[in-house]
Amino acid sequence: MALGVNGEETNNDPVGPSQKAQAIDDMVARDDENEEEEEEDDEEDDEPRLKYASLTKSQGPVYRNGDATSAFLVAGDKMIIGTHNGNIHVLLLPSFQSLRSYRPHSASITGVSISPFPPPLPAVKSDVLNRASVEPRSLSARTPTLQDSTLPSVKNPRQLLVPATPSNSIHIATSSIDGNVCISSLIDSKDVLLRNFGRPVQAVAISPEYKNDRSYISGGLAGNLVLSTGGRPGTSSTSNITGGAAATASGWLGTIGLGTNNGNDTVLHSGEGSISAIKWSLSGKYIVWVNEQGIKIMRSNLHLENSEIDFAWKRINHIDRPSLPGWEEMAGLWKARLDWIDEDGLEADDEEIPVFETPEVKNGVAASIASADAQSVRQAAENKRIEKLIVGWGGTIWIINVQPGGTSIGKNGGERKIGLVEVVTILRTDCIISGVSLYTPKLLLVLAYLTPEDDRKTRESSSQPDTPRRGVYRRQNALQPEMRLIDIATKEEVCVADTLSVSRFESLSATDYHLGVLPLVKSSTKVVTPRGALEVIGGIGGGLWDVTRDATMYPTRLFSSAASVRSSGSNSDLQSGKSTTGLTADLNVATFRGQGAHPDIMTRGMKIFIQSPYDCVLATKPTIADHLSWLEVHEKYEEAWNLIDVHPEAVTFLPEKNTDSSPGTPAKVQVSLVDFFADDSSQNTSSQTRNFNSQAEKEKRRLGEKWLQQLVKNRDWTRAGQIAGQILGTSSGWEHWVWVFAEANKFHEITPYIPTVQLQPPLPSLVYEVILGHYISHDRPRLHEVLERWSPELFDVHTIIARIEGKLKVGDVREDTVEDGVMGRDWQILMKCLAQLYLADGRAKDALRCYIKSQDAEAAMTLIGDYRLVEAISDDLPGLILLRISKEQQKTAPLAELEEASIEPIRLLVDEAHHGTVRPDVVISQLENRPGMLPYLFFYLRALWNGDTYTAPTSPSPEHPSPKSVNLAATEGKSLVNDHADLAVSLFAEYDRALFFTFLKSSQSYTLEKASTICDSRQYIPELVYLLAKEGRTQQALSIIIDKIADVSQAIAFAKEQDDPDLWDDLLDYSMNKPSFIRGLLEEVGTSINPITLVRRIPEGLEIEGLRQGLSRMIREYELQDSISEGVARVLRGEVTMGMETLRTGQKRGVKFDIVHQARPASRHSNKNHIHPKERPKVIKAGHCAGCGDAFFEDGKTSYLTIILPTSSSDLRMLTAIAAVTEKQTLVGYPCAHIFHLSCLLTYTTENNDLPDEEGETPSTRDSSIGPKIRHASKLKGKIGGCPVNVHKEDKA
């Protein structure tokens, strides 16, 4: 047995080639099916380019009495629907309220056209708004000027009068299979025209300027393209081309002015089969129509220049129908779909503007509106721009460019062309086109009608019509219609076709569907319309329709039409001018409270309407909120979260769950006409973004939770941890997800993102403690990282300390354990973490001990400097000193390396010694007897001796302490070292000989015998000599110098230093048997000893090398000394002579002082025993006593003045001068010009004012006798000295 192709057991009978081939084909087919299913699944994941909403319930009145729609048009703020019963319904957008309903036909309506097209956009002026809102005038149930049989009324007893606003001032043209064409004004029920053409009319196109030319074009099964002009309003007439005599006569008489002016009809084209579609171009220059032979384009009579008058109603070009199977039979049955494209109203391609670009970004582009001059330039170029036409017919689509013609070349050179038609692209589809338009400049919008493949093949091979009679097709095999977006360049669909849900689609044909597009209105667009009493505006006197104003449509400047509001007022209310409606007109807030307005219709951008006989579907560009919803539905939570993060306004416009409200209970939606018509660039949502930020954050957290769940479900823990750090913002959320990660043992993935600051409410400390406990047991390096980032306030410090202490006590983590090839790594980490926790708990001493044990020198020294903790570890000073020194370094490192590593703690201990915190006794006691610590004790004592104190890193200028502080520290340090002088001697001798000798010379505290012993044992001869000399054993010291050092120079220097004659004798005695010493003495002894004595002591017969040179040098030395002595004596004599000359010159110099030339008043100096005042003059004036400040007076009599000139510090020379002064006291003058009363001079520095008497001096002898003066001066010699004023000045200086 063997397995067959399908897996069944089969016999081993040979299989024929045909069976094998069939089996292979089946396998390939199954593989293809699987691939197709996978592709379908992928396609289903593509985001739709359009979103859809049903508007059927908003059109409730249209379907009364079982009626169904047969024609459809949407433009401006109007939706016009024609039905199979011949009714026309004019609905106001976006509220879908009925403006007018009437019945112009008795059979199915086949076409609808309006003039002007497109109509002006609406707005409301306050006075018109108030007046229109209170006019509840009822219209007649039937038009009074037409017969009832022609226009039966709709069963609506009361109907609002349509306000005569610019947006309502339109004419509606309809055609029907009853052979009639009706032209009716929307605002004037009397302005209506009905014309019968005798055969079914398939299409009608009203002139864009119908108000002026009263013309329209129609065509149908008769195959005639008829131009109708004129006609009297309110009348019903028959076309003059029907062939009837009366119609012909009426038409002929009407042309010459004798008829009843029922209008004139002109056949522009005929003979090529029935006409299915006619449409006027947007500019009004061109007309396109489609008959069974193809597509025709002609020039109209509008906007012709003087040279183009002959071009009116001339055909420009013809495009043949495709020569494909089935077209011969179906060309007259397939209804062509025509659309002149307003390229300014298209959506932007994705590569030009992002699909979900924010309004704020677009406003930057929209803000650059062209100036008035640029607008006029564009308006001038409008006449020559290309107009784009899209034609969908059968399964073929044509994209055609139509433009004005220029001057031809070649045979007909110089002739002007009517126009140029260029077929840009032809696309063939697998469906029947029920509607076509442009969505973006590069994307086609196609409404596709589908039937099963077998039925389609049958229809293509038969001539059975595809269009049912009276618009209702009875077959039950049609498929649901599809909306497709096709790339024009690649001719491929850009996304999966969207299947539309419509009622009774099985029985509908291609002609039953209609596609209508409302182009978006950009903020830079300006609409120009005639200004009248009813022109409407978003404020008084200007706005959207005012070309002199900025036409940027902001919601605060626009109003919706008053015709959209039903009134319940009365005529009395109208007469009184009082409004009784619910309409509120706010000139500053341009909003309309619509009833039953569907939320989706208020989205901005292009609006696409799909109308079937029983349904209406709205297609719009998905908003950013739609994109967000789609991402969430398809579990693309990451993209959704990022979208809200960048565009928080997406949350503001999230659709409600119940958006399809019943017309009976309409939801009041705050809408604005600018929102209805404008694109995204005309809106600004920055304020909304700010107002809804909190809502956006909540939505972000909600989506973030889903995103996180998705990642955890997919076991992507690393990414989940990262996302948790971004999206989680509440303590409850963090607590939940930390436990999720902890249960999965994914601590590493979540820990880096846990909040390091306290949340509100706070996250339970148990969350942090669990994570720390995990790392204490399993990952010590990560523990250290976490503790560095986490604040101790987040967890219970005592709990973590207990966990670490317990881990260390267990013993599985020790100093000698090896982790990742490093000995003691985890132990070091735990000790550092424990120290960090101790510090957070306020236990700085315990933390310092941990740092010292783990030899974390930086942390320990910083801690000591910050908290002054040396005293706390005074019982473990070796540990402090060895912070930076490993055990290996202690064994092998040189002394310089050890000194560099320990300098910081050594200096710290020195500093503490100066402060008295850790005395040197404590340091010495711990280091002296501990093995291997003597070098560090030496470092300590040396630093203490030199004053090397510790400077904290945070102190200012740590590198340059002041010299005064250094000297003070050194002085105090020497005192401290002297207390341990013998220990210092041994250590200095061991490690620093230079410092040892310095210490021997500087200190007096060490034991000389011990020092001598050390020097003797170490053969430190200079130091030993110094010590012997210090002990007074100079001879032994000199002997050591001579015997061991044999350095005569040092011996001589030693003898000179001691300055002992006996020592010189000893030196001579020791040297007499050493010729080299004798020569050295001769050369270097100088004048220290008598050279004769030295020469005499030299033994006779002793041969001394260099004796002559030594003697010569000694003699020269003495001669030099003698010469120097003589020179010094001469200099001294010269200086003495100069000093004596200066003295004599000064003694000869007179003393000048001023006196007052007036009678002297009574003075305290009238007697010689007056008391000198205690206060001395602050400023000594000329002619005044320097002691009391009184002036000297003159009365013309001769008197004597004693001038004292000090010749030296112990001798005074007195001179007597004659002056006409009447002072009763002797005046004493100094060369410095200071003059004193004698009594003032004696009391200047002492209170003793006893004046010596002038013996033998009488008034008669005062002027002639000199003897008493000399005697008196001799008495003063011992009492007065130099000028006391100068003395005081010198003292002050």
Side-chain angles (χ1 to χ4, degrees):
M1 300 293 289
L3 291 177
V5 176
N6 294 326
E8 299 176 355
E9 293 184 355
T10 61
N11 294 325
N12 291 327
D13 297 336
V15 180
S18 61
Q19 294 176 337
K20 291 182 178 180
Q22 181 63 34
I24 293 174
D25 291 341
D26 293 341
M27 294 177 64
V28 172
R30 285 197 300 271
D31 292 340
D32 292 342
E33 290 177 358
N34 294 334
E35 292 178 359
E36 290 178 358
E37 291 178 358
E38 293 178 358
E39 291 178 357
E40 290 178 358
D41 293 339
D42 295 339
E43 290 176 352
E44 290 178 357
D45 291 337
D46 293 337
E47 184 174 3
R49 301 292 293 269
L50 296 172
K51 71 169 183 174
Y52 302 90
S54 175
L55 303 179
T56 305
K57 292 184 178 180
S58 299
Q59 299 177 351
V62 176
Y63 305 106
R64 290 176 181 171
N65 301 324
D67 204 355
T69 61
S70 59
F72 174 80
L73 184 143
V74 60
D77 65 336
K78 306 296 187 299
M79 177 183 287
I80 304 172
I81 301 174
T83 69
H84 284 291
N85 288 341
N87 295 321
I88 288 293
H89 300 272
V90 183
L91 305 180
L92 178 68
L93 297 179
S95 63
F96 287 96
Q97 293 197 14
S98 178
L99 278 180
R100 185 179 177 191
S101 297
Y102 61 98
R103 186 181 183 190
H105 301 282
S106 60
S108 299
I109 296 175
T110 57
V112 179
S113 177
I114 64 171
S115 174
F117 184 87
L121 294 179
V124 171
K125 197 170 182 179
S126 59
D127 55 346
V128 178
L129 179 66
N130 291 331
R131 185 172 69 250
S133 63
V134 296
E135 291 181 350
R137 294 173 56 189
S138 62
L139 296 178
S140 175
R142 54 190 175 93
T143 304
T145 57
L146 296 179
Q147 298 181 1
D148 296 345
S149 60
T150 304
L151 294 176
S153 64
V154 180
K155 294 182 179 180
N156 186 3
R158 296 179 63 85
Q159 192 167 5
L160 281 176
L161 177 66
V162 179
T165 62
S167 62
N168 293 337
S169 299
I170 62 174
H171 286 79
I172 303 172
T174 58
S175 62
S176 172
I177 61 175
D178 62 2
N180 292 325
V181 172
C182 179
I183 311 296
S184 177
S185 172
L186 179 61
I187 61 176
D188 186 0
S189 59
K190 296 180 180 181
D191 186 4
V192 60
L193 178 66
L194 187 67
R195 197 166 187 83
N196 183 270
F197 290 89
R199 295 194 63 183
V201 182
Q202 299 280 66
V204 64
I206 189 171
S207 170
E209 299 183 3
Y210 180 79
K211 284 185 178 181
N212 301 323
D213 58 22
R214 310 294 289 187
S215 62
Y216 59 92
I217 298 175
S218 61
L221 297 182
N224 297 325
L225 183 69
V226 180
L227 171 64
S228 302
T229 58
R232 188 174 61 186
T235 62
S236 175
S237 60
T238 302
S239 174
N240 54 14
I241 64 171
T242 57
T248 304
S250 175
W252 179 78
L253 292 174
T255 57
I256 62 176
L258 300 176
T260 57
N261 191 20
N262 288 331
N264 183 40
D265 299 318
T266 304
V267 177
L268 300 178
H269 184 270
S270 64
E272 292 186 359
S274 62
I275 297 173
S276 61
I278 309 171
K279 197 161 188 176
W280 226 294
S281 69
L282 297 178
S283 67
K285 295 180 180 181
Y286 311 106
I287 300 170
V288 61
W289 76 97
V290 179
N291 57 27
E292 295 182 19
Q293 298 302 316
I295 305 168
K296 311 291 191 298
I297 300 174
M298 71 163 50
R299 183 67 166 87
S300 72
N301 65 338
L302 300 180
H303 309 298
L304 290 172
E305 299 178 1
N306 294 333
S307 59
E308 298 175 341
I309 298 300
D310 296 336
F311 293 168
W313 311 117
K314 296 294 181 66
R315 192 174 70 178
I316 299 175
N317 206 340
H318 164 78
I319 301 171
D320 290 329
R321 70 187 183 195
S323 299
L324 297 176
W327 272 89
E328 183 71 27
E329 297 82 8
M330 303 301 296
L333 300 177
W334 284 332
K335 184 177 178 64
R337 310 294 179 159
L338 309 175
D339 193 14
W340 292 93
I341 302 301
D342 178 10
E343 297 187 70
D344 292 334
L346 301 178
E347 293 284 358
D349 287 308
D350 293 347
E351 59 270 18
E352 296 176 5
I353 297 179
V355 177
F356 302 108
E357 190 170 13
T358 60
E360 289 84 348
V361 176
K362 291 186 178 180
N363 280 335
V365 180
S368 57
I369 303 174
S371 63
D373 293 339
Q375 178 70 16
S376 61
V377 172
R378 287 198 302 270
Q379 189 66 27
E382 181 73 15
N383 296 327
K384 293 187 177 181
R385 74 181 183 89
I386 298 175
E387 295 197 61
K388 189 179 293 293
L389 171 65
I390 307 293
V391 179
W393 190 16
T396 306
I397 300 173
W398 290 264
I399 301 178
I400 304 168
N401 286 342
V402 183
Q403 57 185 319
T407 304
S408 62
I409 59 175
K411 180 188 293 186
N412 300 323
E415 296 182 0
R416 290 180 59 86
K417 292 184 178 180
I418 302 175
L420 297 177
V421 176
E422 178 188 4
V423 179
V424 179
T425 303
I426 299 178
L427 292 89
R428 306 192 189 279
T429 65
D430 60 350
C431 62
I432 298 175
I433 308 300
S434 291
V436 66
S437 185
L438 268 186
Y439 182 62
T440 71
K442 297 181 180 179
L443 294 181
L444 270 176
L445 187 68
V446 178
L447 178 59
Y449 175 81
L450 302 173
T451 57
E453 290 293 332
D454 54 350
D455 183 68
R456 190 179 307 171
K457 294 178 181 178
T458 302
R459 281 191 293 105
E460 290 177 354
S461 61
S462 65
S463 60
Q464 183 179 358
D466 185 48
T467 304
R469 307 181 84 180
R470 295 187 58 82
V472 180
Y473 195 63
R474 300 303 179 188
R475 281 180 320 176
Q476 302 292 326
N477 60 351
L479 302 179
Q480 289 177 285
E482 292 182 349
M483 183 63 73
R484 300 179 179 180
L485 288 175
I486 301 175
D487 190 296
I488 298 175
T490 62
K491 300 182 180 181
E492 298 290 339
E493 296 184 24
V494 296
C495 59
V496 180
D498 299 325
T499 302
L500 304 178
S501 297
V502 296
S503 302
R504 311 178 210 176
F505 63 86
E506 300 89 349
S507 61
L508 302 181
S509 65
T511 57
D512 291 327
Y513 295 100
H514 305 276
L515 179 68
V517 175
L518 276 181
L520 59 85
V521 179
K522 296 187 178 179
S523 60
S524 59
T525 303
K526 295 188 178 183
V527 184
V528 181
T529 60
R531 297 175 61 86
L534 294 180
E535 63 184 337
V536 288
I537 206 65
I540 298 177
L544 182 63
W545 313 124
D546 187 355
V547 296
T548 63
R549 285 177 171 255
D550 182 12
T552 304
M553 295 186 298
Y554 291 100
T556 59
R557 297 175 57 192
L558 292 177
F559 294 82
S560 64
S561 174
S564 61
V565 181
R566 297 188 179 274
S567 173
S568 59
S570 63
N571 292 335
S572 60
D573 295 329
L574 176 62
Q575 295 172 0
S576 63
K578 295 181 180 180
S579 175
T580 58
T581 64
L583 176 64
T584 59
D586 187 351
L587 293 179
N588 295 321
V589 182
T591 56
F592 164 69
R593 298 186 180 273
Q595 294 185 357
H598 197 286
D600 287 341
I601 203 172
M602 295 313 301
T603 58
R604 305 177 182 93
M606 179 184 289
K607 296 169 182 62
I608 304 162
F609 296 87
I610 302 99
Q611 187 77 36
S612 73
Y614 312 107
D615 294 282
C616 183
V617 178
L618 171 66
T620 55
K621 177 181 177 180
T623 63
I624 192 171
D626 298 321
H627 180 51
L628 178 62
S629 299
W630 184 88
L631 291 174
E632 181 179 1
V633 169
H634 290 77
E635 298 183 355
K636 297 180 182 294
Y637 302 119
E638 179 178 4
E639 297 179 32
W641 191 90
N642 291 329
L643 179 64
I644 300 179
D645 188 48
V646 178
H647 304 299
E649 67 274 10
V651 180
T652 306
F653 303 106
L654 281 176
E656 299 180 359
K657 294 183 179 180
N658 184 14
T659 60
D660 194 4
S661 59
S662 172
T665 57
K668 289 189 177 181
V669 182
Q670 190 78 9
V671 298
S672 171
L673 287 173
V674 66
D675 294 336
F676 178 64
F677 288 107
D679 65 331
D680 291 343
S681 64
S682 64
Q683 303 300 318
N684 190 338
T685 60
S686 60
S687 61
Q688 294 177 350
T689 300
R690 290 191 297 268
N691 294 336
F692 287 90
N693 272 338
S694 59
Q695 181 181 354
E697 291 301 323
K698 293 179 181 179
E699 187 67 13
K700 282 175 62 178
R701 287 194 292 270
R702 187 184 68 83
L703 291 174
E705 290 276 352
K706 291 187 176 182
W707 183 11
L708 200 53
Q709 293 172 3
Q710 185 183 57
L711 293 173
V712 170
K713 182 179 179 181
N714 296 333
R715 317 302 294 176
D716 189 357
W717 294 99
T718 302
R719 180 64 173 157
Q722 297 173 355
I723 300 309
Q726 293 180 352
I727 66 174
L728 296 180
T730 61
S731 56
S732 58
W734 272 110
E735 183 178 8
H736 167 73
W737 284 106
V738 167
W739 293 132
V740 171
F741 277 76
E743 290 175 359
N745 197 25
K746 300 296 180 181
F747 291 90
H748 299 341
E749 287 75 7
I750 191 65
T751 300
Y753 310 102
I754 295 179
T756 57
V757 295
Q758 197 63 269
L759 300 177
Q760 292 297 331
L763 188 61
S765 62
L766 181 60
V767 173
Y768 297 96
E769 294 164 9
V770 168
I771 295 175
L772 291 174
H774 169 79
Y775 288 138
I776 291 173
S777 303
H778 301 92
D779 194 341
R780 264 72 71 171
R782 187 68 61 88
L783 171 67
H784 184 260
E785 295 177 7
V786 172
L787 285 178
E788 288 291 332
R789 291 190 295 108
W790 287 1
S791 171
E793 299 176 355
L794 299 174
F795 52 87
D796 185 7
V797 176
H798 301 90
T799 301
I800 305 304
I801 290 176
R803 292 289 299 273
I804 296 178
E805 290 176 344
K807 191 67 177 177
L808 292 172
K809 289 179 182 179
V810 169
D812 55 347
V813 180
R814 302 184 305 275
E815 294 183 68
D816 55 353
T817 55
V818 179
E819 295 86 13
D820 294 337
V822 180
M823 179 178 293
R825 185 200 67 180
D826 285 1
W827 182 85
Q828 291 275 353
I829 293 174
L830 288 180
M831 291 301 295
K832 292 179 181 179
C833 293
L834 190 59
Q836 185 176 349
L837 293 172
Y838 280 147
L839 197 59
D841 195 29
R843 300 160 62 180
K845 295 181 180 179
D846 294 335
L848 181 59
R849 291 190 181 92
C850 292
Y851 284 135
I852 292 176
K853 288 182 181 179
S854 61
Q855 291 190 317
D856 190 348
E858 297 295 336
M861 297 308 299
T862 301
L863 193 62
I864 290 172
D866 293 342
Y867 292 88
R868 309 290 299 181
L869 294 176
V870 176
E871 185 180 7
I873 56 169
S874 58
D875 57 343
D876 188 19
L877 296 180
L880 174 64
I881 295 174
L882 297 176
L883 271 176
R884 302 180 189 272
I885 303 173
S886 64
K887 293 181 179 180
E888 186 65 24
Q889 285 180 303
Q890 294 181 42
K891 296 178 182 178
T892 60
L895 190 65
E897 182 179 343
L898 296 177
E899 179 184 1
E900 182 179 0
S902 61
I903 187 171
E904 189 174 2
I906 290 296
R907 288 181 175 178
L908 180 63
L909 292 175
V910 170
D911 187 59
E912 296 299 326
H914 287 301
H915 288 88
T917 307
V918 181
R919 301 296 300 173
D921 301 340
V922 178
V923 180
I924 293 172
S925 63
Q926 294 189 33
L927 300 183
E928 185 176 13
N929 298 323
R930 184 164 178 171
M933 296 305 296
L934 287 181
Y936 308 103
L937 183 57
F938 159 69
F939 297 150
Y940 173 72
L941 293 177
R942 183 181 63 178
L944 199 62
W945 177 264
N946 294 330
D948 295 340
T949 57
Y950 172 75
T951 303
T954 56
S955 64
S957 303
E959 301 295 334
H960 305 285
S962 63
K964 188 175 182 180
S965 63
V966 172
N967 294 335
L968 183 61
T971 301
E972 186 179 357
K974 288 180 174 60
S975 175
L976 294 174
V977 174
N978 285 330
D979 295 341
H980 308 277
D982 292 339
L983 177 61
V985 165
S986 62
L987 292 176
F988 291 166
E990 177 72 22
Y991 298 106
D992 192 342
R993 183 175 177 180
L995 179 61
F996 170 64
F997 201 4
T998 301
F999 181 74
L1000 293 179
K1001 293 179 180 180
S1002 302
S1003 178
Q1004 304 296 329
S1005 302
Y1006 56 86
T1007 303
L1008 293 176
E1009 292 78 3
K1010 184 176 181 180
S1012 300
T1013 304
I1014 292 175
C1015 292
D1016 191 18
S1017 63
R1018 294 182 176 277
Q1019 291 299 307
Y1020 290 169
I1021 302 303
E1023 291 83 354
L1024 181 60
V1025 170
Y1026 171 78
L1027 291 174
L1028 292 174
K1030 192 173 184 179
E1031 293 178 11
R1033 296 185 291 175
T1034 56
Q1035 294 180 349
Q1036 185 179 354
L1038 182 62
S1039 175
I1040 292 175
I1041 293 174
I1042 296 174
D1043 295 339
K1044 295 185 178 181
I1045 302 178
D1047 188 350
V1048 64
S1049 299
Q1050 185 175 351
I1052 294 172
F1054 179 75
K1056 290 181 179 180
E1057 181 180 356
Q1058 298 300 320
D1059 194 18
D1060 185 1
D1062 295 337
L1063 192 60
W1064 282 108
D1065 292 339
D1066 294 338
L1067 177 58
L1068 292 176
D1069 293 340
Y1070 290 142
S1071 302
M1072 288 303 104
N1073 58 350
K1074 298 178 179 60
S1076 59
F1077 268 70
I1078 294 174
R1079 180 182 174 181
L1081 288 171
L1082 293 174
E1083 293 178 350
E1084 299 182 17
V1085 71
T1087 60
S1088 299
I1089 60 176
N1090 190 347
I1092 298 175
T1093 304
L1094 175 59
V1095 173
R1096 288 177 178 175
R1097 295 286 295 269
I1098 298 174
E1100 295 183 1
L1102 181 63
E1103 184 177 354
I1104 302 173
E1105 184 179 358
L1107 178 62
R1108 183 185 298 273
Q1109 292 83 356
L1111 291 174
S1112 300
R1113 182 172 180 178
M1114 184 178 66
I1115 293 171
R1116 287 195 302 273
E1117 183 75 20
Y1118 267 91
E1119 290 178 351
L1120 179 62
Q1121 290 292 334
D1122 183 64
S1123 176
I1124 292 173
S1125 298
E1126 290 182 0
V1128 170
R1130 284 195 299 271
V1131 171
L1132 180 60
R1133 286 194 296 271
E1135 290 180 353
V1136 170
T1137 301
M1138 292 176 62
M1140 293 300 294
E1141 288 293 332
T1142 301
L1143 176 63
R1144 284 193 292 270
T1145 302
Q1147 290 176 346
K1148 295 177 181 179
R1149 184 178 303 162
V1151 177
K1152 180 181 179 180
F1153 64 97
D1154 296 330
I1155 59 177
V1156 180
H1157 297 278
Q1158 63 182 16
R1160 179 177 61 83
S1163 172
R1164 59 175 173 265
H1165 297 286
S1166 59
N1167 60 78
K1168 63 181 182 180
N1169 293 323
H1170 79 283
I1171 299 174
H1172 189 277
K1174 294 182 178 180
E1175 294 184 359
R1176 301 186 182 98
K1178 295 182 179 179
V1179 178
I1180 301 175
K1181 300 179 182 179
H1184 292 70
C1185 176
C1188 63
D1190 289 344
F1192 303 128
F1193 294 91
E1194 177 189 8
D1195 58 2
K1197 295 182 180 181
T1198 302
S1199 180
Y1200 293 95
L1201 171 67
T1202 301
I1203 300 176
I1204 300 176
L1205 298 177
T1207 57
S1208 65
S1209 60
S1210 60
D1211 186 21
L1212 292 177
R1213 179 173 297 180
M1214 299 187 181
L1215 301 179
T1216 301
I1218 299 174
V1221 180
T1222 59
E1223 292 291 337
K1224 299 302 182 180
Q1225 287 197 46
T1226 301
L1227 302 181
V1228 180
Y1230 288 92
C1232 60
H1234 291 150
I1235 308 297
F1236 292 86
H1237 293 105
L1238 180 60
S1239 60
C1240 294
L1241 178 62
L1242 293 176
T1243 59
Y1244 197 88
T1245 56
T1246 177
E1247 296 297 330
N1248 183 14
N1249 59 350
D1250 296 335
L1251 300 177
D1253 295 332
E1254 298 183 14
E1255 299 179 0
E1257 182 179 2
T1258 63
S1260 59
T1261 61
R1262 184 180 181 90
D1263 296 334
S1264 58
S1265 176
I1266 196 67
K1269 297 293 183 182
I1270 294 174
R1271 289 192 296 272
H1272 183 67
S1274 62
K1275 292 180 181 180
L1276 295 177
K1277 185 176 181 180
K1279 291 190 175 184
I1280 60 177
C1283 179
V1285 177
N1286 288 335
V1287 171
H1288 289 319
K1289 287 182 179 179
E1290 292 175 0
D1291 292 343
K1292 291 180 181 178

